[in-house]
């Protein structure tokens, strides 16, 4: 089992090449070994996650009422309606944005989602994969393979840096989700492993230093809209990587930099709701309003 | 090493793995510690739980757990109404007293024959630790099937319980024994690899000096 483990993206690529496996095949084998389950069961479980992700997009658009803290109210639908009226262009950008909003709003309204890697960043991967998958007619199996690649990227980030807002700020949650999504898109387009990792690195680099400053401590402001706009960044990063653009800093070093920034980030910017947007005059007013209305 | 489904997953009802999914798991474990259906449950919330419980649905999540729901159950959002229909009265209060962790809850459970007080903390990603049962300190994560035996302090109790398990081919993963200051009442927490059948729990509860036996099923994350 140890011979299947990897701790850097570079190791993952080298190991897959040596064993004659693709990136996702190595992740599936590793998970089967560590969990003691068959590869079939592992793949079935990921398919289940993908089905719930798609359902979450549909549920997010269909949901009635605002989020629990009432800081977001059917924002995804607003964008969808603007597209149908021709105010906003009907393209990948508006689609991915609306879908990420839908899933994140659903999460904040106590709907059922898949943490990817966390609940606060759950909109990015479903939005990006559903939009690109639809665009290039990917099968469910191909998307499941891409999700294993996203998971592999997430595993390396979790081990070398963090995927928790409380430990590393929003760069660790939504930043990691964007990196995972960018890598997954490159994989769906049959990009080479190196391109997959550079796509992830380009997305992650652009979120370095991003703080977790949720108003009233809730997963609503800025989280919901951040999911939408970072999903767009993930697409842009994937496009660049597919075009052969590389991150000048190697992907593993970008991950380490994110970890270092997270460790040095002041605690007021790590999910404590004591700084940033949460501590603005309006942020404080919203917090007080929620406390009054909900008690 | 982190698993694939720690990264993509779990499937859960939002908005927060620590404030919602973890709260469901604390409620579920607390409910299993009580052997009968509660008619009254009192929740005391501390720290971040006290400040944000409405907005994170922590109250609904805790009650969902008491009702036996798992973290992905779409009914979590409506748990308060469901509990009311089932005749379970739930009461919430916040406390600013210092405690174990920013996400701590004390659950007071009452049913006709029993009354229990459980303190749990939510440590992130839906993971939890039960820190107290009826004021006795414990450290139960629910990551294994867990047997909790309270008994009158006597020599040889650990070996009696472990022989029953060994005879039934149940492997013990971890075991911890603690007791109250008067050295009268003791608590044995045994985490095992395989699920326990009612029969085994029955045999153990009939052993001499055993007061109560509780069994908590493993939490699937």
């Amino acid at each position: 089992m140890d011979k299947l483990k990897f701790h850097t993206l570079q190791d993952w690529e080298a190991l897959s090449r040596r064993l004659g496996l693709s990136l996702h095949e190595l992740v599936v084998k590793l998970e089967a070994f560590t969990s003691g389950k068959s590869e079939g069961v592992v793949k079935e479980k990921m398919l289940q996650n993908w089905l719930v992700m798609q359902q979450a997009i549909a549920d997010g658009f269909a949901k009635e009422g605002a989020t629990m803290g009432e800081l977001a109210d059917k924002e995804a639908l607003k964008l969808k309606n603007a597209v149908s009226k021709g105010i906003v262009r009907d393209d990948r950008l508006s689609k991915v944005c609306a879908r990420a909003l839908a899933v994140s709003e659903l999460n904040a309204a106590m709907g059922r989602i898949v943490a990817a890697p966390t609940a606060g960043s759950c909109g990015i991967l479903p939005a990006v994969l559903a939009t690109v998958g639809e665009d290039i007619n990917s099968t469910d199996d191909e998307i499941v393979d891409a999700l294993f690649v996203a998971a592999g990227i997430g595993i390396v980030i979790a081990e070398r840096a963090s995927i928790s807002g409380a430990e590393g700020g929003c760069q660790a949650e939504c930043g990691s989700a964007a990196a995972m999504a960018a890598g997954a898109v490159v994989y769906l387009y049959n990009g080479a492993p190196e391109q997959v990792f550079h796509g992830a690195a380009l997305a992650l680099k652009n979120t370095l230093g991003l703080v977790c400053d949720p108003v009233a401590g809730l997963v609503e402001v800025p989280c919901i809209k951040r999911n939408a706009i970072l999903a767009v960044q993930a697409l842009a990063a994937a496009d660049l990587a597919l075009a052969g653009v590389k991150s000048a800093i190697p992907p593993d070093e970008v991950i380490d930099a994110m970890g270092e920034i997270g460790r040095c980030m002041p605690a007021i910017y790590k999910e404590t709701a004591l700084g940033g947007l949460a501590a603005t005059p309006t942020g404080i007013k919203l917090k007080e309003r929620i406390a009054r209305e909900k008690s | 090493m982190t698993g694939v489904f720690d990264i993509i997953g779990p499937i859960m009802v939002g908005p927060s793995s620590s404030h919602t999914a973890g709260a469901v798991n604390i409620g579920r474990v607390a409910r299993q510690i009580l052997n009968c259906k509660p008619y009254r449950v009192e929740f005391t919330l501390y720290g971040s739980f006290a400040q944000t419980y409405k907005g994170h649905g922590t109250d609904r999540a805790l009650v969902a757990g008491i009702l036996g729901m798992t973290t992905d159950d779409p009914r979590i959002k409506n748990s308060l109404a469901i509990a009311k229909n089932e005749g379970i009265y739930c009461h919430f209060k916040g406390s600013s007293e210092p405690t174990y962790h920013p996400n701590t809850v004390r659950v007071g459970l009452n049913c006709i024959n029993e009354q229990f007080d459980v303190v749990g903390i939510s440590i992130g990603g839906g993971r939890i630790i039960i820190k107290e049962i009826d004021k006795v300190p414990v450290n139960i994560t629910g990551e294994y099937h867990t047997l909790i035996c309270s008994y009158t302090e006597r020599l040889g109790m650990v070996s009696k319980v472990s022989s029953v398990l060994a005879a039934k081919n149940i492997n013990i993963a971890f075991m911890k024994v603690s007791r109250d200051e008067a050295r009268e009442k003791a608590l044995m927490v045994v985490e095992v690899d395989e699920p326990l059948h009612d029969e085994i729990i029955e045999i153990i509860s009939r052993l001499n000096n055993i007061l109560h036996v509780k069994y908590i099923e493993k939490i699937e994350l």
Side-chain angles (χ1 to χ4, degrees):
Chain A
M1 180 188 104
D2 277 346
K3 71 177 169 67
L4 291 175
K5 279 190 184 172
F6 54 88
H7 302 284
T8 63
L9 298 174
Q10 217 178 349
D11 282 355
W12 179 12
E13 196 272 328
L15 201 55
S16 322
R17 192 155 26 92
R18 200 162 66 235
L19 297 172
L21 299 170
S22 57
L23 288 181
H24 80 268
E25 285 169 344
L26 183 70
V27 177
V28 172
K29 269 201 194 316
L30 177 62
E31 180 63 23
F33 270 117
T34 24
S35 66
K37 294 182 174 121
S38 72
E39 290 182 25
V41 167
V42 168
K43 284 183 185 167
E44 189 55 40
K45 197 170 172 184
M46 191 60 95
L47 177 64
Q48 197 55 41
N49 282 340
W50 170 234
L51 297 176
V52 174
M53 283 180 175
Q54 288 171 285
Q55 187 61 47
I57 293 174
D59 290 353
F61 282 119
K63 108 183 154 49
E64 289 174 13
T67 52
M68 296 295 287
E70 297 177 357
L71 299 176
D73 191 3
K74 300 194 273 297
E75 316 296 341
L77 221 50
K78 283 178 198 158
L79 184 52
K80 204 176 180 184
N81 291 340
V83 169
S84 55
K85 283 182 195 154
I87 301 167
V88 173
R89 198 172 166 152
D90 187 10
D91 56 11
R92 289 207 311 184
L93 195 149
S94 61
K95 280 200 177 86
V96 86
C97 243
R99 285 168 173 158
L101 284 173
V103 176
S104 295
E105 281 186 75
L106 180 73
N107 176 58
M110 298 195 83
R112 197 165 70 132
I113 53 92
V114 183
T118 60
S121 57
C122 68
I124 297 172
L125 264 169
V128 168
L129 288 178
T131 304
V132 172
E134 184 180 84
D135 211 14
I136 59 173
N137 293 317
S138 306
T139 62
D140 280 348
D141 284 347
E142 285 164 344
I143 292 185
V144 165
D145 293 349
L147 279 168
F148 280 111
V149 170
I153 295 167
I155 288 172
V156 173
I157 297 177
E159 297 228 323
R160 303 189 68 83
S162 171
I163 55 160
S164 145
E167 274 174 23
C170 191
Q171 54 164 6
E173 290 206 19
C174 289
S176 300
M180 288 157 58
V185 169
V186 176
Y187 201 71
L188 268 185
Y189 275 96
N190 298 315
E194 197 193 19
Q195 288 175 298
V196 170
F197 300 149
H198 278 275
L202 290 167
L204 189 60
K205 275 207 303 194
N206 212 41
T207 68
L208 289 183
L210 193 64
V211 301
C212 176
D213 50 356
V215 168
L218 303 183
V219 196
E220 299 195 15
V221 175
C223 327
I224 294 172
K225 291 157 204 151
R226 218 172 246 177
N227 268 264
I229 298 173
L230 284 176
V232 174
Q233 283 194 24
L235 279 184
D239 281 352
L240 287 174
L242 284 165
V245 175
K246 287 184 186 174
S247 165
I249 307 298
D252 283 312
E253 292 182 33
V254 173
I255 294 173
D256 289 348
M258 190 271 269
E260 178 213 298
I261 295 166
R263 284 188 295 278
C264 298
M265 194 181 275
I268 58 167
Y269 301 131
K270 293 199 268 199
E271 215 179 279
T272 52
L274 296 171
L277 296 170
T280 56
T282 304
I284 293 167
K285 253 184 235 159
L286 289 170
K287 179 188 170 179
E288 286 166 355
R289 191 204 79 199
I290 292 166
R292 256 196 325 273
E293 283 174 5
K294 301 276 172 176
S295 58
Chain B
M1 191 169 171
T2 315
V4 161
F5 299 107
D6 296 324
I7 302 290
I8 314 265
I11 296 170
M12 58 169 274
V13 165
S16 157
S17 58
S18 54
H19 288 69
T20 319
V24 172
N25 286 332
I26 292 175
R28 255 172 78 82
V29 171
R31 174 66 181 85
Q32 292 181 62
I33 290 171
L34 194 74
N35 286 333
C36 47
K37 187 183 160 189
Y39 63 84
R40 183 185 170 86
V41 189
E42 284 170 56
F43 300 93
T44 311
L45 301 144
Y46 301 87
S48 170
F49 264 13
Q51 282 164 25
T52 66
Y53 77 93
K54 289 276 185 179
H56 278 132
T58 308
D59 49 351
R60 304 176 195 217
L62 286 164
V63 171
I66 296 289
L67 293 167
M69 294 180 201
T70 49
T71 53
D72 62 345
D73 197 315
R75 298 173 304 162
I76 292 173
K77 195 173 181 179
N78 305 319
S79 69
L80 299 180
I82 298 170
K84 204 173 168 188
N85 278 341
E86 291 197 10
I88 305 172
Y89 173 80
C90 298
H91 181 259
F92 295 87
K93 65 173 180 192
S95 168
S96 52
E97 276 176 48
T99 181
Y100 297 98
H101 184 274
N103 298 329
T104 301
V105 57
R106 179 180 292 278
V107 188
L109 295 137
N110 298 274
C111 70
I112 295 168
N113 312 316
E114 282 183 299
Q115 192 181 343
F116 265 95
D117 187 69
V118 175
V119 177
I121 64 176
S122 173
I123 58 170
R127 291 192 164 77
I128 63 156
I129 305 174
I130 301 296
K131 300 295 289 181
E132 284 181 27
I133 298 175
D134 264 356
K135 310 268 189 285
V136 179
V138 291
N139 225 10
I140 298 167
T141 62
E143 285 172 24
Y144 292 84
H145 303 286
T146 306
L147 185 72
I148 307 166
C149 310
S150 66
Y151 56 97
T152 318
E153 177 71 313
R154 287 283 186 285
L155 199 67
M157 289 305 291
V158 169
S159 94
K160 276 188 197 165
V161 171
S162 55
S163 333
V164 173
L165 295 173
K168 298 284 177 187
N169 274 321
I170 303 287
N171 188 44
I172 297 176
F174 300 98
M175 181 182 232
K176 191 160 191 280
V177 180
S178 52
R179 61 186 178 193
D180 64 0
E181 285 178 3
R183 299 187 176 190
E184 284 163 0
K185 213 176 130 185
L187 198 71
M188 188 189 312
V189 176
V190 190
E191 296 178 300
V192 296
D193 290 329
E194 297 83 13
L196 297 182
H197 296 297
D198 291 348
E199 182 208 347
I200 303 174
I201 298 163
E202 187 65 31
I203 297 171
I204 293 172
S205 51
R206 284 210 210 106
L207 293 172
N208 279 340
N209 302 314
I210 292 277
L211 302 170
H212 292 285
V213 176
K214 308 285 180 192
Y215 174 58
I216 301 165
E217 274 174 43
K218 178 179 169 180
I219 299 170
E220 295 291 345
L221 284 173

